[in-house]
Amino acid sequence: MTKERADAARNREKVLAAAAELFAAKDPRAVTMDSIARAAGVGRGTLYRRYPDVASIATALLDEHEKALQHELLQGPPPLGPGAPPHERLAAFYTAMTGLLDQHVHLALGAETGARRYATGAYGFWRAHVLALAREADVADPDALADTLLAPLAPDVFAYQRERGVSPARLAAALTELARVLVR
Amino acid sequence: MTKERADAARNREKVLAAAAELFAAKDPRAVTMDSIARAAGVGRGTLYRRYPDVASIATALLDEHEKALQHELLQGPPPLGPGAPPHERLAAFYTAMTGLLDQHVHLALGAETGARRYATGAYGFWRAHVLALAREADVADPDALADTLLAPLAPDVFAYQRERGVSPARLAAALTELARVLVR
DNA sequence: GACTGAACCGGACACGGTGTCCGGTTGCAC
DNA sequence: GTGCAACCGGACACCGTGTCCGGTTCAGTC
């Protein structure tokens, strides 16, 4: 991995900043490669050099916000990190994720709508974490349960519930209950 | 509501038959209005007259298959229909839905990917049903729980799990366990 | 501080899908 | 058989995509 050229780095910054603004401003599905290029003052070819499509740009932006949580899950203090019983860790994870989603729904919707969600590295991480907790708790079929436990965190579901008037806090409470009874 | 003209009915048949074949044959996201029109031997204008987009065609096809289950939920024998305790009814619903999804993933993916899922009438029906069961079981926050309980049935999730090797039967078992502990 | 090759830039291009529009056709009622 | 309304379908303009290549900028070398 060779060092990044100065002009390339400059453009990457411009692109990410412009994209972040666009995603925050309007419907994520209306954000197009063309609009990002124009907003960043950059040619379309430049965009495609680094990102194959809009979703991958949203994913790059989202990744930054998710890194911190991922770190805490691996080696932070309990109940998020190791040390607490599985159901408490799962509940803490749920609460943290609803908070994260609450802040960045736009990005999440731009990055992970539909099947693409499962192709991202982040999903793999969340899945591994939940799977480990399920195993630790001796549930019947951890592998089948993992994706089931993650399904309510899909950006689409979250956005719909919030639009419906279910606050992130209420959702977190419901998920905590789910964690409590299912992974004990 | 006036009677449908004979040529119109003929074309509707042709369109639905051609669409069903296309959805079954290839990636639902690759099915386009244009391809349906060509396969049906019909002009594009004719298509747009009745369906605003591809998803609505898939929804129309899916609706037919879902009607039977909806009828059973309302007035069929227990445990699917009224009469059984909530957790048993929910488990039966889960099993029926995984079966339905297993048969018609293509259509479901074409119809309900992403946010569109929540706009369909079918989702409203499933939601009302699950909500009623949750209320009957005196859970803490039925409204927040309803969409959470339905999230694992999203076509995307189902398709991903099946591709991963989780059979519909295993999934149904996991969901049954979920129903048992959460809605008692 | 000039040279050089490699990395990078960005606009032009061809393509494919969308949704609309309207002249022509078909079916139905009287 | 006649008239009208509903219906048909292809042509059209538009938009976003992804690629390609001539030109530019950078960084290391002497």
Side-chain angles (χ1 to χ4, degrees), chain B residues 57-176:
Chain B
I57 300 181
T59 301
L61 286 167
L62 197 56
D63 270 356
E64 275 178 50
H65 301 294
E66 287 176 331
K67 282 241 172 72
L69 175 55
Q70 296 185 352
H71 184 262
E72 282 199 66
L73 290 178
L74 288 179
Q75 37 187 316
L80 221 41
H87 73 267
E88 280 183 28
R89 291 193 69 193
L90 183 58
F93 168 68
Y94 274 145
T95 302
M97 279 297 272
T98 52
L100 209 56
L101 275 171
D102 190 36
Q103 283 175 50
H104 306 294
V105 219
H106 316 95
L107 286 181
L109 286 175
E112 312 190 329
T113 192
R116 193 178 294 266
R117 170 167 161 80
Y118 309 103
T120 65
Y123 187 82
F125 188 100
W126 308 138
R127 189 179 196 286
H129 183 243
V130 170
L131 182 61
L133 294 179
R135 286 227 173 89
E136 197 182 337
D138 266 327
V139 302
D141 190 346
D143 238 291
L145 203 60
D147 300 298
T148 301
L149 289 175
L150 285 175
L153 292 177
D156 301 320
V157 180
F158 180 84
Y160 175 72
Q161 287 187 281
R162 211 177 60 168
E163 185 189 352
R164 230 194 136 77
V166 177
S167 70
R170 269 175 70 194
L171 177 56
L175 291 173
T176 295

Side-chain angles (χ1 to χ4, degrees), chain A residues 59-85:
Chain A
T59 301
L61 286 166
L62 197 57
D63 269 357
E64 275 178 51
H65 302 293
E66 287 177 331
K67 283 241 173 71
L69 175 56
Q70 296 184 353
H71 184 263
E72 282 199 66
L73 290 178
L74 287 180
Q75 37 187 312
L80 220 42

Side-chain angles (χ1 to χ4, degrees), chain A residues 44-160:
Chain A
R44 305 168 36 66
T46 305
L47 224 56
Y48 278 103
R49 157 170 303 273
R50 218 172 328 240
Y51 305 102
D53 49 41
V54 184
S56 69
I57 300 181
T59 301
L61 286 166
L62 197 57
D63 269 357
E64 275 178 51
H65 302 293
E66 287 177 331
K67 283 241 173 71
L69 175 56
Q70 296 184 353
H71 184 263
E72 282 199 66
L73 290 178
L74 287 180
Q75 37 187 312
L80 220 42
H87 72 268
E88 281 183 27
R89 291 194 71 193
L90 183 57
F93 168 68
Y94 273 146
T95 302
M97 279 298 272
T98 51
L100 209 57
L101 274 171
D102 191 35
Q103 283 175 50
H104 306 295
V105 219
H106 314 96
L107 286 181
L109 286 175
E112 311 191 326
T113 192
R116 194 178 293 267
R117 170 168 161 80
Y118 308 102
T120 66
Y123 187 83
F125 188 100
W126 309 139
R127 189 179 196 285
H129 182 245
V130 170
L131 182 60
L133 293 179
R135 286 226 175 90
E136 197 181 339
D138 266 328
V139 302
D141 190 345
D143 238 290
L145 202 61
D147 300 298
T148 300
L149 289 174
L150 285 175
L153 293 177
D156 301 320
V157 180
F158 180 84
Y160 175 72

Side-chain angles (χ1 to χ4, degrees), chain A residues 5-7 10 32-34 44 48 52:
Chain A
R5 255 175 58 170
D7 53 347
R10 210 161 40 229
T32 135
M33 286 297 255
D34 201 67
R44 305 168 36 66
Y48 278 103

